[in-house]
Amino acid sequence: EGPRRRFLRRLCNPGDGFPFRAQWRSRIPAFKGRDRALALEMQWHAYVLHAMAAWDEFYQETYIPQGTVYEYALGVSACSRDHLQHCLPLCHYDAGLSRSILRYIAKHTDVYGRIRHTDEGLGFFPRGGDEKSDSQIYAFMALAEYLRVNRDAAFLDESVPFDGMIGSGTIFERIELWFRYLR
């Protein structure tokens, strides 16, 4: 029995005084099924995503950082693609967090549909040759999964500011901009 399994067993079993158990149990799905080992592994990954969740004061949104080098060593919020990859499983069990990540990415979009690759804090983006388009592809995937699972078409009408917090537009308008930029 490894450390993850012991941790999850303590998290899920009442009576041993493990702090914050009720809060974690309300956030981490049970993943009930026949394969107990797979369910525990999925709980572990759900726990890790939630434990990494970070609030961005400037954008007023919560997102899941890339971790490791970018976030923890360099202090840079990168890369938008990774935030969107983390969003994909959350669509199935934490609609609020996945919505926040999608808004966070929409706020990193400029008026041309470019999703900024990195954020060095307070909305500062290094300008230069780092013009990737894979974030747009992941934005489509994450948004499609969110809409498919949660059936929340009203989300498309939410208005969010553009990169640099100048002007605003709806999530639906961001879809068009992402497509134009990608094309």
Side-chain angles (χ1 to χ4, degrees):
E1 180 175 286
R4 290 191 293 188
R5 191 169 284 221
R6 282 193 302 274
F7 173 81
L8 288 168
R9 184 170 290 125
R10 285 186 67 201
L11 182 66
C12 297
N13 294 328
D16 67 1
F18 190 70
F20 311 114
R21 177 181 296 113
Q23 290 96 338
W24 278 115
R25 286 183 74 192
S26 71
R27 301 299 294 181
I28 306 301
F31 296 114
K32 299 197 186 287
R34 288 188 229 182
D35 190 337
R36 183 72 178 135
L38 178 60
L40 284 173
E41 186 69 17
M42 290 172 64
Q43 280 183 313
W44 172 255
H45 290 285
Y47 161 76
V48 169
L49 285 176
H50 280 86
M52 287 175 53
W55 171 255
D56 188 289
E57 187 68 30
F58 183 78
Y59 292 101
Q60 300 286 298
E61 299 293 346
T62 302
Y63 69 102
I64 311 293
Q66 184 266 359
T68 61
V69 175
Y70 294 133
E71 193 79 17
Y72 304 138
L74 302 175
V76 175
S77 178
C79 144
S80 295
R81 164 195 62 234
D82 297 338
H83 307 323
L84 290 160
Q85 288 172 349
H86 293 137
C87 181
L88 285 165
L90 294 167
C91 296
H92 293 269
Y93 62 88
D94 194 333
L97 184 51
S98 55
R99 242 185 344 268
S100 188
I101 293 169
L102 288 164
R103 277 193 304 266
Y104 180 77
I105 294 302
K107 292 175 182 180
H108 279 77
T109 303
D110 67 16
V111 295
Y112 305 106
R114 176 178 41 206
I115 299 173
R116 298 295 183 185
H117 185 63
T118 64
D119 181 343
E120 294 183 354
L122 299 175
F124 175 74
F125 299 99
R127 308 294 183 196
D130 197 11
E131 303 296 332
K132 296 172 176 53
S133 62
D134 56 344
S135 291
Q136 282 77 3
I137 294 169
Y138 280 102
F140 290 133
M141 289 171 47
L143 185 59
E145 190 68 4
Y146 172 79
L147 293 171
R148 184 184 71 80
V149 171
N150 296 289
R151 309 267 186 231
D152 181 14
F155 178 64
L156 298 174
D157 294 326
E158 282 191 29
S159 182
V160 293
F162 284 103
D163 159 29
M165 307 308 241
I166 300 169
S168 65
T170 65
I171 297 293
F172 191 79
E173 291 168 333
R174 289 305 196 289
I175 295 169
E176 182 180 4
L177 291 172
W178 292 337
F179 182 76
R180 283 185 185 174
Y181 182 81
L182 186 61
R183 191 182 65 198

